[in-house]
Amino acid sequence: MTTHRAVDVSVDAMIEDLRTLVEIESPSRDLHALTASAKAVAAVIESRLGGQAVLVESEAGPHVHWAAGGAPKVLILGHHDTVFPLGTLERRPFMVEDGHAVGPGVFDMLGGLVQAVHGLATLGDRSGVEILVTADEEVGSRSSRALIEERALACGAVLVMEGAADGGALKTGRKGCGTFQVSVTGRASHAGLEPAAGVNALIEAAHQVLDIAALGRPAIGTTVTPTVASAGTLDNVVPAEATLVVDVRVESADEKERIEAAFAALAPHLDGTEIAVQGAVGRPPMPESASAELFAVARQLLPGLEGKAVGGGSDGNFTAALGVPTLDGLGAVGGGAHADHEYLVVADMAERANLVAGLVNTLRNT
């Protein structure tokens, strides 16, 4: 294995680039905000690494792609959209205090992007390296998936800059995840004058919730969780429509197929109701076998590093499903993803930047 000597990276410079990205808010689906964010990401990449970062336009906003040139060997993968609505920054501004950087998106996942760029900047030769930063990971990666898969297959190895697991562990496995929407149609009537003339979509939805929840198999990692429900219009009208939203997580391809088939087979309990189902397990599972080779390299570079399989999904699920070696959780050490207490541990930024540099250097030379 070719080793990479840790080179000093400037934590102050990383903090300043992180501030720049955080202070340009980038909620998913806000095309204006995402365009500004993509331009800022491109500017940070170009200023630290040279070359040209190309904005790849899409219906979800611009993705950012940078290539150092030469035969592609390593893809650095991340996203610049966040879950926080515009205005979050005013309530929760970027700051560094007591060793933590805080602000919307510091951990998920702007900190990881900054660390990767600064890590690569320590390498004199960056040939074979590509960076892809997408605009829609938080909302399913529908517009970016084809591009992610194309570049992953071209490069042959993927390093995902999502935040680390608890304690700084890398994410060596991920569940497949998806969202289903179940729509129930009944028939409205006056709840007082003619209740029997109606067909109550809410009662049918209640039956469906129980059927759906019973699909889970937690012992083998399958969770099926109804999360949102809506029904009815007025308190004196038998509801004619109801909608359920369900979160699904699975650890195996077999369970993905079972769950999708079960949703397709949902049948009504009440005469006169109809059921329509949309959705799928859109992110396939990322088995730990997909990360084994790269995790072994990471542990040689940073002895004592831990790995952990987690329930959340990322774009690494797509690349792992293609058979491309994929290692996730290489980004910021911290916590609070998607929450107001989100934070990044500043003291770990340099080590993580150098870990990415070491991995890239090793993969480029194998």
Side-chain angles (χ1 to χ4, degrees):
M1 183 186 73
T2 302
T3 59
H4 169 69
R5 181 179 62 84
V7 177
D8 287 340
V9 292
S10 169
V11 174
D12 288 342
M14 284 194 284
I15 290 294
E16 284 310 303
D17 284 347
L18 180 58
R19 178 190 297 275
T20 296
L21 298 186
V22 171
E23 290 185 346
I24 300 174
E25 295 180 282
S26 54
S28 304
R29 298 193 175 98
D30 187 319
L31 298 187
H32 179 76
L34 289 167
T35 298
S37 175
K39 290 178 179 178
V41 169
V44 166
I45 292 172
E46 291 174 354
S47 69
R48 302 298 178 183
L49 301 178
Q52 182 181 10
V54 177
L55 299 191
V56 181
E57 298 296 335
S58 82
E59 62 184 10
H63 313 308
V64 183
H65 182 235
W66 176 89
K73 292 188 174 181
V74 187
L75 177 65
I76 303 290
L77 184 57
H79 63 90
H80 66 98
D81 63 320
T82 71
V83 301
F84 302 102
L86 290 179
T88 302
L89 187 69
E90 183 177 357
R91 177 173 56 84
R92 192 158 59 87
F94 179 84
M95 66 176 65
V96 178
E97 190 173 53
D98 298 327
H100 288 177
V102 298
V106 290
F107 177 69
D108 188 12
M109 62 166 292
L110 301 175
L113 296 180
V114 168
Q115 290 167 187
V117 170
H118 282 256
L120 291 178
T122 69
L123 299 177
D125 179 10
R126 301 167 198 139
S127 61
V129 181
E130 297 190 14
I131 301 173
L132 178 59
V133 186
T134 65
D136 63 345
E137 191 273 345
E138 296 290 5
V139 290
S141 305
R142 290 177 180 83
S143 77
S144 58
R145 180 174 181 175
L147 179 59
I148 291 166
E149 293 177 337
E150 173 196 312
R151 299 322 307 157
L153 287 169
C155 291
V158 178
L159 305 177
V160 185
M161 295 301 115
E162 293 283 358
D166 291 346
L170 299 188
K171 295 174 179 176
T172 53
R174 285 184 177 273
K175 290 185 179 184
C177 52
T179 302
F180 291 82
Q181 179 172 300
V182 180
S183 300
V184 180
T185 302
R187 184 171 61 248
S189 67
H190 195 293
L193 297 177
E194 294 184 302
V199 179
N200 197 315
L202 177 54
I203 293 176
E204 179 60 52
H207 285 291
Q208 295 299 321
V209 165
L210 297 177
D211 290 348
I212 290 166
L215 296 174
R217 292 180 179 174
I220 58 171
T222 301
T223 59
V224 181
T225 310
T227 53
V228 180
S230 61
T233 53
L234 295 171
D235 59 3
N236 62 351
V237 177
V238 172
E241 295 180 336
T243 302
L244 306 171
V245 179
V246 186
D247 178 273
V248 172
R249 311 278 165 154
V250 298
E251 288 186 1
S252 71
D254 287 346
E255 280 296 275
K256 173 184 183 295
E257 293 178 6
R258 181 183 71 85
I259 290 295
E260 290 178 341
F263 270 93
L266 289 175
H269 289 252
L270 303 182
D271 291 341
T273 57
E274 296 180 357
I275 305 293
V277 177
Q278 293 180 306
V281 180
R283 293 186 192 274
M286 173 183 162
E288 292 192 77
S289 59
S291 66
E293 176 185 348
L294 298 181
F295 182 57
V297 176
R299 291 201 71 173
Q300 288 182 288
L301 293 166
L302 193 58
L305 191 63
E306 298 295 329
K308 183 178 181 180
V310 298
S314 81
D315 287 335
N317 291 56
F318 297 136
T319 63
L322 297 172
V324 179
T326 300
L327 187 58
D328 205 336
L330 284 159
V333 176
H338 298 190
D340 280 353
H341 65 280
E342 182 183 19
Y343 69 95
L344 172 154
V345 179
V346 173
D348 290 324
M349 294 183 75
E351 182 176 78
R352 284 298 169 125
N354 280 308
L355 175 59
V356 172
L359 282 164
V360 166
N361 198 53
T362 301
L363 294 171
R364 282 193 313 103
N365 290 285
T366 55

